[in-house]
Amino acid sequence: MTRTILQRVADRDAAAMQECTTRYGGLVWSLARRHAPSPSDAEDAVQEIFVALWQSAGRFDPEVASETTFVAMIARRRLIDRRRRAQRQPRTESLMDSTPLPTVEQKDMVEVEDQADRVKQALAELRPQQRQVLEMALLGGSTQTEIAERLDLPLGTVKSLARRGLIKVRGMLRASEESVDDVEEGQR
Amino acid sequence: MSAFSKMSAAERGRYAELCADVALWGELDPGEVEEFDALRRRDDAGLEPTAFEATAGALAVCFDDARSDGADAGGSMPAGLVADLARAAREFVDTGDEVADRTTASSSAGRAAGGSRSVSPVFGLVGWVLAAAALVVAGVQWSWSSNGDQDPTEQRAALLALADSVRYEWAKGPSELSGSVAGGDVVWSPSRQAGVMRFRGLPANDATAMQYQLWIFDKGRAGPPVDGGVFDVPAGQTEVLIPIDAKIAVLDAAGFAVTCERPGGVVVSDREHIVRVANL
């Protein structure tokens, strides 16, 4: 069975590391550019993200996420962490850093695309304002305060919209995963 | 049995809210951290925060895909960056987890100095720690949102109040850069994975030339000490308090050391200038 890019990166396969950059460089660069205050900061962020990705490759688990989602998780963690460092606030261990990462396995390409479709479907079920707030937070890296100012909404409303939106998507994905499992179970 | 068998429906709902906040913003309001920690301990599988983070990641990908069809965030990666990544990848393959440290924290400073683009010194050591059975949550909070900053004095006091916190006094290191007096201490809480350093007598530094870097000696892992973050000592202050910024979870802190390093810090210290030690 073909090993995934991240599995091969975990084995220190030089060719796989190049493939990793080629396959996921666009996504990482896009997220970094949207989060970072400047192009040079984005470049530093990209390097930091790929180092983190290479180090974490051995812990990817498709039970929790597709490879693309895993990359996005790592990227978001690093971008949020960088933002904190740039703010020079007193800090403690990141709450995200202490969250267990997915660990590894094979992920079928059909399943990957299916998951992406399910995410899109779940997103379509959200209210427009929930989608907008989630996009600003997750893609644009905006803080709650920035979103509140830009959309002229109370801070509590922003927090509630984002929270409820993410919970709803999580719930829909879990429900569809369980129904897929039920169908597969029935077919055995 | 459900992973949430120990929670009521209301508690499961509240846990979901807090997991969502962590996934969205990477932090919680100070009053929510304890609540999250308590609920997390009753999440048998311990994977709900990861599941929310994965959902957030998947959504980010989805939004990015949609945007890529129209307005773009800024085109493809610059060719120089692609080349740097290729070089870093080769070094990573050759050196394992330690990526060659090539410089300055501040990319603009590095570029202004005429140096080539460099890989930021990050991680360098073991990497993420899986803690599925023992998710460690910071008990004290800082925030770049309107929720307010955590004062290091308050943070230190809060940590000292915890049953598992330890406090070690600093001693001067062997370096001539240590200054004449070594007062202060370091407080560390294993359960919170948080700490605060207090210094008296540590000389002020020029951050463009040198920064201090904390190292945490971890009995729970092999290899070099854990990077506890870089910091500066401003001029004109008799005492400074610095929160600890450990890059990875510290399994069993046995001792602490502060070295002088290049701006931005290093992946592995050459220990040429050890200016403070505690419990070593």
Side-chain angles (χ1 to χ4, degrees):
Chain A
M1 197 172 279
T2 307
R3 291 166 67 73
T4 68
I5 292 176
L6 287 181
Q7 281 180 301
R8 290 160 50 217
V9 166
D11 292 340
R12 299 280 194 272
D13 179 333
M17 296 182 73
Q18 179 58 45
E19 283 179 54
C20 186
T21 308
T22 304
R23 173 80 68 90
Y24 300 116
L27 170 64
V28 171
W29 176 238
S30 178
L31 290 174
R33 282 288 288 120
R34 295 179 198 280
H35 280 70
S38 69
S40 63
D41 192 78
E43 292 185 21
D44 283 350
V46 167
Q47 292 181 88
E48 187 173 321
I49 290 165
F50 271 102
V51 170
L53 188 57
W54 301 333
Q55 291 173 326
S56 309
R59 297 186 171 96
F60 164 59
D61 175 12
E63 292 299 313
V64 181
S66 68
E67 204 169 74
T68 309
T69 296
F70 182 86
V71 171
M73 285 171 70
I74 298 291
R76 287 195 67 243
R77 283 187 176 190
R78 289 300 99 217
L79 290 166
I80 289 174
D81 196 46
R82 285 183 65 84
R83 186 160 185 165
R84 287 170 154 178
R85 293 206 299 266
Q87 295 285 331
R88 289 196 159 265
Q89 297 294 333
R91 61 159 299 174
T92 59
E93 174 109 354
S94 160
L95 288 169
M96 283 174 143
D97 287 354
S98 54
T99 318
L101 276 180
T103 55
V104 96
E105 275 252 7
Q106 170 85 9
K107 185 69 177 175
D108 193 285
M109 279 304 294
V110 171
E111 289 179 57
V112 167
E113 286 166 10
D114 182 50
Q115 187 180 73
D117 284 343
R118 282 187 275 130
V119 172
K120 280 184 198 160
Q121 284 168 19
L123 204 51
E125 298 284 324
L126 297 184
R127 288 157 43 199
Q129 207 166 41
Q130 282 176 326
R131 274 201 303 276
Q132 185 180 29
V133 168
L134 282 175
E135 184 174 8
M136 292 174 77
L138 299 177
L139 183 64
S142 299
T143 65
Q144 295 172 54
T145 304
E146 288 167 350
I147 296 171
E149 285 170 2
R150 260 181 248 160
L151 299 183
D152 193 25
L153 290 172
L155 196 66
T157 302
V158 168
K159 186 168 180 171
S160 178
L161 284 168
R163 185 190 261 179
R164 292 191 192 289
L166 189 63
I167 290 172
K168 189 168 181 181
V169 172
R170 166 83 189 111
M172 286 190 276
L173 291 179
R174 182 159 52 194
S176 76
E177 282 160 12
E178 285 168 358
S179 69
V180 166
D181 289 344
D182 288 344
V183 167
E184 288 176 350
E185 186 66 36
Q187 287 171 344
R188 289 196 194 105
Chain B
M1 181 178 285
S2 159
F4 304 104
S5 59
K6 296 174 187 164
M7 290 191 203
S8 65
E11 286 171 331
R12 284 199 295 276
R14 180 59 180 152
Y15 186 46
E17 289 182 344
L18 296 173
C19 288
D21 285 353
V22 173
L24 285 161
W25 320 110
E27 63 179 12
L28 293 171
D29 293 342
E32 292 172 330
V33 175
E34 296 266 359
E35 187 184 3
F36 178 63
D37 200 14
L39 286 167
R40 190 270 314 161
R41 288 197 181 94
R42 295 158 69 191
D43 173 5
D44 295 333
L47 292 175
E48 195 66 359
T50 305
F52 269 93
E53 206 185 331
T55 304
L59 281 171
V61 173
C62 199
F63 286 130
D64 183 65
D65 282 346
R67 287 285 174 179
S68 298
D69 295 337
D72 196 15
S76 307
M77 279 198 289
L81 177 57
V82 174
D84 279 347
L85 283 174
R87 185 164 50 244
R90 285 193 296 275
E91 288 181 7
F92 186 81
V93 169
D94 293 339
T95 63
D97 284 333
E98 296 173 14
V99 177
D101 165 46
R102 269 198 304 257
T103 220
T104 72
S106 165
S107 61
S108 56
R111 291 188 178 88
S116 59
R117 186 182 297 106
S118 306
V119 176
S120 302
V122 196
F123 306 104
L125 303 174
V126 177
W128 305 105
V129 173
L130 281 179
L135 179 65
V136 179
V137 176
V140 289
Q141 192 56 256
W142 67 273
S143 170
W144 32 257
S145 74
S146 65
N147 293 317
D149 301 335
Q150 177 77 42
D151 179 72
T153 306
E154 291 175 7
Q155 186 178 352
R156 183 174 178 276
L159 292 173
L160 281 169
L162 298 172
D164 75 331
S165 68
V166 293
R167 188 184 76 86
Y168 303 120
E169 294 190 348
W170 292 114
K172 277 177 59 176
S175 169
E176 68 274 16
L177 302 179
S178 298
S180 55
V181 174
D185 52 30
V186 53
V187 175
W188 173 259
S189 164
S191 65
R192 300 303 182 192
Q193 289 292 296
V196 176
M197 300 177 284
R198 186 171 62 164
F199 296 104
R200 291 192 209 98
L202 189 61
N205 67 301
D206 174 1
T208 63
M210 179 277 285
Q211 287 190 289
Y212 294 109
Q213 189 163 2
L214 173 70
W215 304 95
I216 305 171
F217 292 83
D218 190 346
K219 283 192 298 189
R221 60 174 81 245
V226 174
D227 176 3
V230 294
F231 61 93
D232 302 311
V233 174
Q237 295 193 8
T238 53
E239 180 177 275
V240 290
L241 276 77
I242 310 286
I244 292 176
D245 178 18
K247 294 297 178 286
I248 58 176
V250 178
L251 305 178
D252 188 2
F256 301 81
V258 175
T259 59
C260 296
E261 306 293 352
R262 68 182 75 183
V266 295
V267 173
V268 178
S269 176
D270 60 10
R271 307 189 189 190
E272 186 181 345
H273 288 291
I274 301 173
V275 293
R276 290 290 184 273
V277 293
N279 204 41
L280 291 175

